[in-house]
């Protein structure tokens, strides 16, 4: 339920949105998965410190090292002949955001690292945590909640029609390279 990215490329990405996309695109998490980064590339050193002073290592890890980027929601199943992946409703403090996620889309719901009520209704044969409907809570993060409708693995080869447009839309929707 949690992927923590560590290493120079992840830790030193110019934008947190880029680190988020690198981790999601590399690991292709399914269902509901929190994504975080080792912001200062200290996890190996904290492992050594924990053998000497465990409390100090845990404190540094939680306060200075771990940056919770958000949660990726990506249903499992066969995406063939699916136009709409799922309907969603996410209750933020001052508004409720709802809509439909189309096949091939990524949407980011900006919200901080805390729990938010979330209702998801997957279409056709898709499942989220083994069910077609999810009613529960999900964490936001520094980037927020990513709704990922690209399928697993997402089908993107050199012959994909509008391949460049798909990639450009994903970058825009995740704000990887703002204007």
């Amino acid at each position: 339920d949690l992927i923590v990215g560590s290493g120079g490329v992840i830790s030193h990405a110019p934008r947190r949105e880029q680190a988020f996309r690198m981790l999601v695109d590399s690991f292709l998490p399914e269902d509901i998965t929190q994504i975080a980064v080792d912001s200062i590339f200290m996890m190996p050193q904290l492992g050594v410190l924990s053998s000497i002073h465990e409390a100090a290592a845990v404190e540094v890890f939680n306060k200075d090292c771990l940056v919770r980027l958000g949660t990726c929601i990506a249903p499992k199943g066969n995406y063939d002949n699916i136009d709409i992946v799922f309907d969603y409703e996410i209750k933020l403090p001052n508004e409720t955001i709802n809509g439909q996620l189309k096949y091939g889309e990524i949407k980011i719901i900006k919200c901080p690292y805390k729990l938010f009520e979330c209702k998801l209704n997957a279409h056709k044969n898709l499942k989220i945590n083994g069910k077609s409907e999810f009613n529960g809570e999900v964490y936001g993060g520094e980037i927020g909640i990513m709704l990922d409708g690209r399928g697993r693995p997402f089908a993107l080869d050199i012959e994909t029609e509008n391949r460049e447009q798909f990639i450009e839309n994903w970058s825009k929707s995740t704000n990887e390279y703002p204007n």
Side-chain angles (χ1 to χ4, degrees):
D1 294 6
L2 173 65
I3 294 173
V4 179
S6 185
V9 172
I10 298 293
S11 299
H12 300 297
R15 299 179 50 76
R16 298 274 192 231
E17 291 88 348
Q18 294 167 346
F20 199 173
R21 268 288 304 282
M22 281 189 267
L23 290 168
V24 170
D25 288 2
S26 297
F27 289 100
L28 298 174
E30 295 177 317
D31 292 325
I32 299 172
T33 309
Q34 291 182 60
I35 308 293
V37 293
D38 171 0
S39 68
I40 52 179
F41 192 41
M42 283 199 64
M43 287 174 65
Q45 294 83 351
L46 291 175
V48 173
L49 177 61
S50 71
S51 66
I52 300 165
H53 199 294
E54 185 176 340
V58 170
E59 184 175 343
V60 171
F61 179 75
N62 286 322
K63 290 186 178 178
D64 297 324
C65 182
L66 191 68
V67 174
R68 295 183 179 271
L69 299 177
T71 298
C72 177
I73 301 173
K76 284 184 180 179
N78 183 348
Y79 280 68
D80 290 342
N81 301 314
I82 288 183
D83 294 324
I84 304 298
V85 175
F86 60 82
D87 303 313
Y88 60 90
E89 180 180 290
I90 300 171
K91 293 184 180 180
L92 301 179
N94 297 320
E95 68 178 314
T96 298
I97 297 176
N98 52 47
Q100 293 184 319
L101 185 71
K102 295 178 184 173
Y103 173 72
E105 272 187 325
I106 297 175
K107 289 185 181 179
I108 298 287
I109 310 297
K110 298 294 273 177
C111 53
Y113 178 69
K114 62 183 204 178
L115 284 169
F116 295 95
E117 284 184 47
C118 182
K119 293 181 183 179
L120 307 168
N121 183 17
H123 287 224
K124 296 202 177 179
N125 65 336
L126 300 179
K127 305 285 186 209
I128 300 168
N129 289 353
K131 298 179 180 176
S132 60
E133 290 185 22
F134 172 84
N135 290 304
E137 295 179 317
V138 297
Y139 279 99
E142 190 171 306
I143 306 305
I145 299 169
M146 175 189 281
L147 308 177
D148 190 344
R150 298 177 294 170
R152 298 293 186 261
F154 51 82
L156 188 67
D157 60 34
I158 200 72
E159 302 300 321
T160 301
E161 187 178 328
N162 302 324
R163 179 177 56 91
E164 290 178 17
Q165 191 63 48
F166 271 118
I167 294 169
E168 187 176 318
N169 288 344
W170 297 339
S171 290
K172 285 179 182 176
S173 65
T174 56
N175 199 30
E176 288 177 339
Y177 302 101
N179 295 335

